[in-house]
Amino acid sequence: MLAFKKSKARPGQRARETQEESGEEGNDSPINIASSKAKNKAKRAKAKSKLSFGGGDEEGDEPETFQLKKSSLSRKLTLGIHPANALPDTLDQATIGARSNGAPVYDAAYLSELKASMQSTRPPMPDHEVYDVDVSMDTEDRAIVSLDTPAPSGGVSIPTQSYIQTAKEKRERLRAVGPEQDYISLAITTRTDTYQGPHPESRLVREEDELGEGDDEYAQYTSAQERIALGKKSRKIEASKRKDAMQEMIADADEEDEETIEWEREQLRRGGLDPFARADAVPEKQVYKPAPIPPPTNLPELGPAIERLAQSLAALKTSHASNTNAVASFSEEEEQLDTRETELRDMVAQAETKRSWFAEFKEWMESVATFLDEKYPELERLESEHIFILKERSGMITRRRKEDDEDDLSVVFGSPAQREPPPDEFDELGRDVPRADPAALRKVRRVARVARRHRRQSRNAVSEADWEEEGYSTDSSLPPSDAQDYRAAIQRITTGGEELLSDVAAAEFKDPSLGLAKWFGEWRSRYGDSYTGAWGGLGLVGAWEFWVRLELLGWDPLDSCDNLDDFSWYSSLHEYSQSSYDEDENAESSEPPPDGDLVSAMISTAVVPRLCKMLESGGFDPYSDHDVRRIIDVAEQVEASIGSDHHKFLMILKSVHSVFENATIAAETLLSPFLRFNRPQFDPEAIAARNRLLTKASKLFDVMLRWRKFTGDKLGTGQVCVRLIKNYVLPIARSGWEVGGEEKTRQMVAALPQDLAASVNL
């Protein structure tokens, strides 16, 4: 039984290069010595001619003999043997022969020949042949194979008992030592004393661990393993190596490929240059060939020639006419192109002018936007302060009117107990203010009310009839001190609006007619289509709104007699809207402005929202006949400007209606606890108090009827009048129906329209 040791894996390219370099540095192992000798011999053989038939190298080695290799089929044909009758080289290619009659041949000679041709062991390698390191076995393995088993030159080698025992002992020794494994073990851990790399638990082998670092792979290019020769002998050896390397490079350059040489010759032959042509070649003798004589032709006649000339002339005339027409059309087209070029140049110039103008306009508008961003917060603060002052003034008047009504209701129905005690009052030093008796407070308020009526009588020359109609004066005036504070606050707001532009030096920012009107008017006159398409008029209104609100700051439409057309912004916008149209003799036929009436747009944008906020904040007194007349005048101006169906006009109507409705609800709320208590006591002042209450209600009723006469019954003002009579007037009048209550109630019902009067049951 033969025992073979598994050979090691064939080293890779990097390992072989590393092994060669290490051999050159002085490794004395037999394998390295044999490998270096084999490679040096191969290099020397390559430097020589391919067809070298003798001669040895300088070292005295045996000369290599050139042998011409032939295929098996060629050798058999040379010997005269038919390929079909030739014996195969190996047993794998052999087939059982057959006689001419088809029977197989199994004689002893044939079987002996087959046995002799089958090789069971590898023949020993001659010493003079080149030793191949890549396919060689280990020295120790060859020693095991050759130990006690001298293989005969022919025949099968049978190992002896001692050889088998030696192989087993070596296997046990290697197993104990831990030989290098050429496989991946299935064991989870492997105990070994050698370095296993950065990850010893992993069974995967990295390329760096197997082949080494990259410096070894590219050492021949980076000179990483070169050594500096210091001694004389070593420098001589290095010079000899460089010389041998240059000779090898020269020999490689001198090598010629037969296919390349043949291709070059073929290219030269195609180009007409044959460097291999014979110099003594005789050129072929040229034979004279005379030029052929053309056949004779007839002489031309005059008739056909004239006809051809006439045809040519007609063709020329036609071509001339077409060319003339083409020239004329080209000239006309050239003129059109010149005209078009002029137009395009004009358009380009206009576009450039337009671009530059709009760039300046944009820059100016950005400066306006910066100005408005800085000034708008201060303007809004002043407007909020004005609204707060109006609310405070309205609250003072409403509170005093409520206290007067509570005093009169207490006299008529009795004083109901308060559900919650009033909060404690403290003075400036934090001390409790003693509470006065309600009866004493009513007496004090009554005296103050009489004093105010006397002052109004002496100031306004009130007639005796009005004096006797006590209660018709709703007492909406402030005390002298409060009135003076109110006027000072309004003056402070007006002064703040004037000082808002005190730091502005440019006149175009102080007066929008010098800035906004100039730029937008120029835009409208120069680029009307762009102005109309971009709604330039509305843009002007949006930019002009700041100056309009600044001029309206501190304006109370109910106290002052100023109308909307008295403001400067009204006339400026009206002039701007009509500036682009000439005055015609027939004004009725003039067309409206392209961007509409900017005055109405400004009223709906800036004036109406400001007016509605003032009305809802207490600027309108529902008991004042003067206020209702003024609000009707202002509403008529707005209606004439924007129309009665405009939603901004309806906003004014809703604001006034909400004031009347809130006043009616407040009267009902005030009367409700007294009706639930209803314990009247005898008091001589009860009749006068009832008359004052009914007179105040009658005045509120008259004011609402006047407003309903202007607006109609759009928002249900008539229903508010009916509600006031049912829920407030009738309960008070029935407490003294015979002493004036019936008369007052019937007067109010008679003033109602018939459809509304029918809903009141007396």
Side-chain angles (χ1 to χ4, degrees):
M1 179 178 180
L2 294 176
F4 296 91
K5 181 180 181 296
K6 184 176 181 181
S7 62
K8 297 182 180 180
R10 184 176 180 178
Q13 181 66 21
R14 298 182 183 177
R16 291 198 299 270
E17 291 177 1
T18 306
Q19 185 176 1
E20 292 174 5
E21 293 174 0
S22 63
E24 293 178 2
E25 293 177 1
N27 192 354
D28 297 336
S29 64
I31 297 176
N32 294 335
I33 294 174
S35 175
S36 61
K37 287 183 179 181
K39 289 187 177 293
N40 291 334
K41 186 181 292 184
K43 290 181 180 180
R44 288 193 299 271
K46 185 177 181 182
K48 296 179 181 180
S49 175
K50 290 184 177 181
L51 301 177
S52 176
F53 292 93
D57 53 3
E58 297 178 0
E59 298 179 0
D61 295 339
E62 295 180 4
E64 295 179 358
T65 304
F66 174 78
Q67 295 180 359
L68 182 62
K69 295 182 181 181
K70 295 184 179 181
S71 62
S72 300
L73 181 60
S74 176
R75 291 197 301 269
K76 293 173 183 178
L77 290 176
T78 304
L79 297 176
I81 303 174
H82 194 273
N85 298 328
L87 293 176
D89 293 338
T90 61
L91 190 59
D92 297 336
Q93 301 177 356
T95 57
I96 298 176
R99 299 178 185 273
S100 60
N101 56 2
V105 177
Y106 293 108
D107 53 359
Y110 180 72
L111 295 177
S112 299
E113 184 180 358
L114 289 178
K115 184 177 181 180
S117 62
M118 182 177 62
Q119 298 180 1
S120 60
T121 59
R122 181 179 179 181
M125 182 181 299
D127 295 335
H128 65 276
E129 293 184 3
V130 178
Y131 180 73
D132 193 358
V133 181
D134 297 337
V135 298
S136 65
M137 298 173 59
D138 192 5
T139 306
E140 189 175 1
D141 296 341
R142 286 187 283 112
I144 294 175
V145 174
S146 61
L147 183 61
D148 295 335
T149 57
S153 59
V156 181
S157 176
I158 300 175
T160 62
Q161 183 66 24
S162 62
Y163 169 75
I164 296 173
Q165 186 64 26
T166 304
K168 288 183 178 181
E169 293 176 357
K170 184 178 183 297
R171 189 180 301 111
E172 293 295 335
R173 185 172 63 255
L174 292 176
R175 185 181 293 110
V177 174
E180 182 181 356
Q181 297 180 355
D182 294 334
Y183 59 91
I184 299 176
S185 176
L186 297 178
I188 298 177
T189 58
T190 303
R191 296 184 178 273
T192 177
D193 297 336
T194 60
Y195 177 69
Q196 298 296 327
H199 303 284
E201 69 277 0
S202 176
R203 296 180 296 172
L204 300 178
V205 181
R206 300 187 303 176
E207 184 179 359
E208 291 80 359
D209 299 338
E210 182 180 6
L211 301 180
E213 300 296 336
D215 296 340
D216 299 338
E217 181 179 358
Y218 301 102
Q220 57 180 341
Y221 305 108
T222 60
S223 302
Q225 297 181 354
E226 289 186 0
R227 300 293 184 268
I228 299 176
L230 301 178
K232 182 177 180 181
K233 184 177 180 181
S234 59
R235 286 198 298 270
K236 185 177 180 181
I237 293 173
E238 291 294 333
S240 177
K241 288 182 180 180
R242 287 195 297 270
K243 184 177 180 181
D244 294 342
M246 288 188 290
Q247 288 179 357
E248 291 180 4
M249 294 174 63
I250 293 171
D252 293 340
D254 292 340
E255 289 183 359
E256 295 183 354
D257 189 5
E258 295 181 358
E259 294 182 359
T260 305
I261 296 173
E262 185 64 25
W263 180 82
E264 292 177 354
R265 289 179 181 178
E266 183 64 24
Q267 300 302 320
L268 292 173
R269 191 180 298 110
R270 290 182 179 180
L273 299 177
D274 191 0
F276 302 98
R278 297 178 57 185
D280 56 350
V282 179
E284 297 181 359
K285 184 178 181 181
Q286 297 182 357
V287 180
Y288 172 74
K289 293 182 180 180
I293 300 174
T297 56
N298 297 328
L299 295 175
E301 296 181 358
L302 185 59
I306 293 174
E307 185 178 356
R308 288 195 302 273
L309 290 175
Q311 293 177 357
S312 299
L313 181 60
L316 289 174
K317 289 181 179 180
T318 305
S319 176
H320 179 267
S322 63
N323 291 337
T324 303
N325 295 333
V327 169
S329 63
F330 290 157
S331 300
E332 183 179 358
E333 185 177 357
E334 183 180 5
E335 294 178 358
Q336 295 178 357
L337 291 176
D338 293 340
T339 305
R340 182 60 178 169
E341 181 183 3
T342 305
E343 294 176 356
L344 291 177
R345 290 183 181 276
D346 295 340
M347 292 175 61
V348 170
Q350 294 175 3
E352 177 62 22
T353 304
K354 183 177 181 180
R355 185 202 63 78
S356 60
W357 186 88
F358 273 103
E360 296 177 0
F361 179 63
K362 179 182 178 181
E363 183 178 359
W364 188 83
M365 288 302 299
E366 288 178 353
S367 63
V368 173
T370 305
F371 169 77
L372 295 179
D373 291 341
E374 182 180 355
K375 298 298 182 181
Y376 249 119
E378 183 65 20
L379 176 62
E380 292 176 350
R381 186 189 66 80
L382 293 175
E383 290 178 346
S384 301
E385 186 176 354
H386 186 207
I387 295 298
F388 176 77
I389 292 174
L390 292 178
K391 286 183 178 179
E392 187 176 3
R393 172 177 172 270
S394 176
M396 294 173 62
I397 296 174
T398 304
R399 191 182 314 109
R400 188 177 62 192
R401 187 177 294 154
K402 179 181 178 182
E403 291 175 354
D404 293 343
D405 292 342
E406 286 180 349
D407 294 344
D408 293 337
L409 291 174
S410 299
V411 174
V412 175
F413 296 99
S415 299
Q418 296 182 357
R419 295 183 179 180
E420 296 180 0
D424 296 336
E425 297 181 1
F426 302 95
D427 57 5
E428 297 177 354
L429 300 178
R431 295 171 297 183
D432 293 338
V433 177
R435 298 177 184 177
D437 183 31
L441 289 177
R442 286 196 296 270
K443 185 176 181 181
V444 171
R445 286 195 292 266
R446 176 62 180 168
V447 172
R449 184 164 55 249
V450 172
R452 287 195 302 271
R453 292 197 61 199
H454 279 289
R455 286 196 300 270
R456 286 198 305 273
Q457 182 183 12
S458 60
R459 184 176 60 252
N460 300 329
V462 180
S463 62
E464 189 66 22
D466 294 339
W467 173 256
E468 293 178 356
E469 191 68 27
E470 186 179 7
Y472 193 79
S473 175
T474 52
D475 201 5
S476 60
S477 59
L478 293 174
S481 59
D482 295 339
Q484 185 177 0
D485 294 341
Y486 173 75
R487 288 191 296 269
I490 296 298
Q491 183 63 31
R492 185 177 64 255
I493 293 174
T494 306
T495 305
E498 295 175 355
E499 294 177 353
L500 189 60
L501 300 180
S502 60
D503 58 341
V504 179
E508 57 186 5
F509 287 99
K510 289 185 176 181
D511 188 0
S513 60
L514 301 178
L516 290 175
K518 171 182 171 296
W519 280 96
F520 278 86
E522 187 177 355
W523 182 15
R524 182 179 60 184
S525 60
R526 298 180 63 174
Y527 311 107
D529 296 339
S530 175
Y531 177 85
T532 305
W535 300 93
L538 297 181
L540 174 65
V541 170
W544 207 315
E545 181 181 354
F546 169 78
W547 286 271
V548 174
R549 292 172 60 178
L550 182 61
E551 191 173 357
L552 292 176
L553 187 64
W555 172 63
D556 190 352
L558 305 181
D559 288 344
S560 64
C561 298
D562 296 335
N563 296 325
L564 295 177
D565 52 359
D566 295 334
F567 292 98
S568 60
W569 61 264
Y570 189 97
S571 57
S572 299
L573 285 176
H574 181 74
E575 183 180 357
Y576 173 83
S577 300
Q578 303 296 331
S579 60
S580 60
Y581 296 92
D582 297 331
E583 295 294 337
D584 299 335
E585 295 181 0
N586 188 7
E588 296 179 358
S589 62
S590 60
E591 297 180 357
D595 48 2
D597 188 6
L598 299 183
V599 175
S600 61
M602 181 61 72
I603 290 175
S604 62
T605 302
V607 178
V608 172
R610 176 68 178 170
L611 183 61
C612 293
K613 187 177 294 185
M614 293 172 61
L615 295 176
E616 295 174 357
S617 300
F620 174 67
D621 186 4
Y623 290 90
S624 176
D625 185 66
H626 173 268
D627 289 357
V628 75
R629 287 197 303 268
R630 282 295 303 161
I631 194 60
I632 290 175
D633 293 341
V634 175
E636 287 178 350
Q637 296 179 31
V638 175
E639 182 182 9
S641 179
I642 64 178
S644 59
D645 296 335
H646 201 280
H647 68 282
K648 291 299 181 68
F649 177 71
L650 296 178
M651 286 177 57
I652 298 177
L653 302 183
K654 290 180 181 179
S655 298
V656 177
H657 177 77
S658 64
V659 173
F660 288 131
E661 189 174 10
N662 292 334
T664 304
I665 295 174
E668 294 175 358
T669 305
L670 181 63
L671 179 62
S672 178
F674 290 96
L675 290 178
R676 288 194 299 269
F677 184 72
N678 198 9
R679 295 177 183 177
Q681 297 178 1
F682 175 77
D683 193 341
E685 296 291 336
I687 298 176
R690 186 181 301 106
N691 290 334
R692 285 195 297 269
L693 292 173
L694 294 177
T695 303
K696 290 180 181 179
S698 175
K699 187 173 183 181
L700 176 61
F701 177 78
D702 293 341
V703 172
M704 288 192 293
L705 284 182
R706 177 171 292 189
W707 178 252
R708 181 182 180 278
K709 184 178 180 181
F710 171 71
T711 62
D713 204 7
K714 292 182 178 179
L715 302 176
T717 308
Q719 298 296 331
V720 177
C721 296
V722 174
R723 178 179 177 180
L724 178 65
I725 294 175
K726 288 182 177 181
N727 299 335
Y728 185 77
V729 175
L730 279 177
I732 296 176
R734 285 171 181 169
S735 63
W737 189 258
E738 294 82 3
V739 290
E742 181 180 4
E743 182 182 359
K744 290 288 185 180
T745 305
R746 291 188 181 278
Q747 290 178 359
M748 297 172 63
V749 173
L752 286 174
Q754 295 182 358
D755 54 342
L756 297 177
S759 60
V760 179
N761 297 323
L762 300 178

